[in-house]
Amino acid sequence: MSTCATASRNLSEPLAGTAATAPTWLLIEQPGPWGVKALTASRLDPAVGRALEAAAGDSGVRVALIRRPGRHADYGPDAEHRVFAAHTLPGRSWVRTALVTDPAELLGLDFAALGAGRHGGFGAAHEGAPLALVCTNGKRDRCCALRGRPLAAELVAGGESTWEVTHIGGHRFSPTLFVLPYGYAYGHATAHGVKEILHAARDGRIVTAGARGRSAWDRPAQAADLAVREHTGESGADALSVPHTADRAGGWTVSVRHTDGRDWLVDIARGASEPPRPESCGAVPVSPLRLDVTAVREATATTS
């Protein structure tokens, strides 16, 4: 039986502009099994999970569960949980980490401040290698388990700092990858490709091959950022920002700015992916939103 990821790959579905949108992520270690909605269907107290979802609300913080790749034996009730908080806007990216015994402690965080990029002294700065987060939640979509878990295991065997994560969107692009500190998501990932992505991230560079977009931005901005990187060859993680996205007939015009003062206008057409395909395994085939870059033009240079 064909899977949603196989259908997406066979149809050469574009990846740019398909990443989840969240400037800040709160990632909570919770081993053991995960259900479809992991925050309320795992060994995490479901009342705490519901409270975390409510606290995050529209703050710009996305909450997800993580676990070490491999066997998913649960921990005892007094075990500590590794937590990462990460902000992904260019020039302001940070990753903080802490250990908590009770995830309910995280309800004391200022979620509005986290969403705005202010960590308030939470934990300590994460000084290690870039984090590779691979979606493996098979209860959400079987592709994530069938394709994601072997990838996570291979990355760990190769010495990469890797975690399994509950859901980062886009089952049909499995294996899906999310990389911190810069917050770029990738689809149809391979171990060789991920190693290249992580090597670049260590040097403050972004690999565009297989990239879905930077989660700090909405979907048109994600596509525009990647289009300018492809157009110019710019790989610096913090070199580009997206100051403005304007609706226009049939799509958007997105302003992209370089730290050296250059500006580009990127025209993006709104369309539907044809033929229809399932967005997840077992789902009715649909025509997902498609973003096609139709023009990248340099605007009048500014000084900064």
Side-chain angles (χ1 to χ4, degrees):
M1 179 183 295
S2 178
T3 65
C4 65
T6 299
S8 174
R9 188 184 291 272
N10 288 344
L11 291 167
S12 300
E13 186 170 2
L15 293 170
T18 66
T21 56
T24 304
W25 292 71
L26 183 64
L27 306 167
I28 306 163
E29 182 182 10
Q30 181 56 61
W34 295 333
V36 174
K37 296 184 177 180
L39 280 179
T40 54
S42 67
R43 300 289 166 79
L44 178 70
D45 182 341
V48 174
R50 284 191 292 271
L52 286 167
E53 285 183 325
D58 60 359
S59 66
V61 178
R62 183 169 177 136
V63 184
L65 302 184
I66 57 175
R67 64 191 176 197
R68 300 283 187 181
R71 294 177 61 86
H72 298 149
D74 204 354
Y75 297 169
D78 297 325
E80 292 183 310
H81 301 249
R82 173 64 61 185
V83 179
F84 295 99
H87 188 66
T88 61
L89 275 171
R92 298 169 51 195
S93 298
W94 47 257
V95 180
R96 308 280 295 185
T97 188
L99 288 169
V100 300
T101 301
D102 184 356
E105 299 171 35
L106 301 171
L107 293 170
L109 293 172
D110 185 336
F111 280 79
L114 283 176
R118 302 188 301 275
H119 56 69
F122 171 76
H126 171 67
E127 302 289 358
L131 299 176
L133 300 145
V134 180
C135 181
T136 62
N137 190 354
K139 293 293 186 181
R140 186 104 182 197
D141 191 283
R142 64 192 178 113
C143 283
C144 297
L146 292 173
R147 297 169 181 258
R149 292 194 66 188
L151 174 62
E154 187 171 354
L155 293 174
V156 167
E160 303 295 351
S161 182
T162 307
W163 293 81
E164 297 184 5
V165 65
T166 48
H167 182 52
I168 52 177
H171 316 298
R172 66 191 186 279
F173 305 126
S174 184
T176 54
L177 171 77
F178 185 67
V179 178
L180 292 172
Y182 303 118
Y184 279 82
Y186 293 83
H188 302 311
T190 65
H192 176 77
V194 174
K195 289 179 183 295
E196 181 181 351
I197 289 164
L198 296 177
H199 178 78
R202 290 186 186 96
D203 294 335
R205 296 182 292 106
I206 300 303
V207 170
T208 58
R212 300 173 58 200
R214 191 170 192 155
S215 77
W217 296 316
D218 61 21
R219 292 185 59 182
Q222 293 172 9
D225 163 65
L226 293 173
V228 171
R229 290 186 180 280
E230 292 283 358
H231 181 72
T232 62
E234 177 57 67
S235 64
D238 293 328
L240 301 179
S241 61
V242 183
H244 185 63
T245 298
D247 291 326
R248 62 178 181 83
W252 305 266
T253 295
V254 183
S255 301
V256 179
R257 177 163 296 164
H258 197 286
T259 51
D260 66 10
R262 287 179 293 164
D263 289 279
W264 294 266
L265 295 175
V266 182
D267 293 332
I268 300 174
R270 178 194 291 111
S273 298
E274 299 293 348
R277 74 290 313 272
E279 290 190 289
S280 60
C281 287
V284 175
V286 296
S287 297
L289 174 66
R290 177 181 175 122
L291 282 67
D292 290 302
V293 173
T294 58
V296 178
R297 57 193 191 277
E298 191 164 355
T300 303
T302 62
T303 57
S304 61

